[in-house]
Amino acid sequence: MTCTLQEARGIPADDGHNDFDFSIDGSTTAGPISGLAGWFTADFQSRTDEAGAAAPKLLQPAFLSTGPENGYTHWGQQTFYFQSSIPLLKGQTTRLKGEVEMMRTKENSRLYNCRIAYTSSRKKNEADKDAPPLMQSELTEQVYQIP
């Protein structure tokens, strides 16, 4: 996905690309899910927009990832801890579904405030995919602000 300057201003609530839905299988691991982690990846290529037609072309595009699989960078990653951990129980699958909203702070355009709203549910691993969940949480919303 390409991020334009306009998109870099943040991810509004009505963006359409701000939702997440994933499951964590507790077949081999159990323990608390304490939060979410975030990082960015940038692919520096030649400009492809209208104004970039006259811009110099990059002969060797560059790639930067601050993901944990790439080792330490001074950019690092960000952890968004939950107020309460979500249990990951052996033999069950925990599902997290929600949305993320990020907006630049007024004081520093390099910093973002973040809102994460989510629900969690659990099912037995061997349960039919249409079986009702063993547990379904209420919507939880947390706001992370840069002081």
Side-chain angles (χ1 to χ4, degrees), residues 115-130:
R115 181 188 65 84
I116 300 176
Y118 64 92
T119 60
S120 64
S121 61
R122 281 197 315 272
K123 283 188 173 185
K124 287 191 179 241
N125 285 350
E126 62 274 356
D128 183 280
K129 71 174 189 152
D130 296 323

Side-chain angles (χ1 to χ4, degrees), residues 45-58:
Q45 299 180 9
S46 297
R47 289 180 62 173
T48 57
D49 62 346
E50 190 175 309
K57 302 296 180 217
L58 294 176

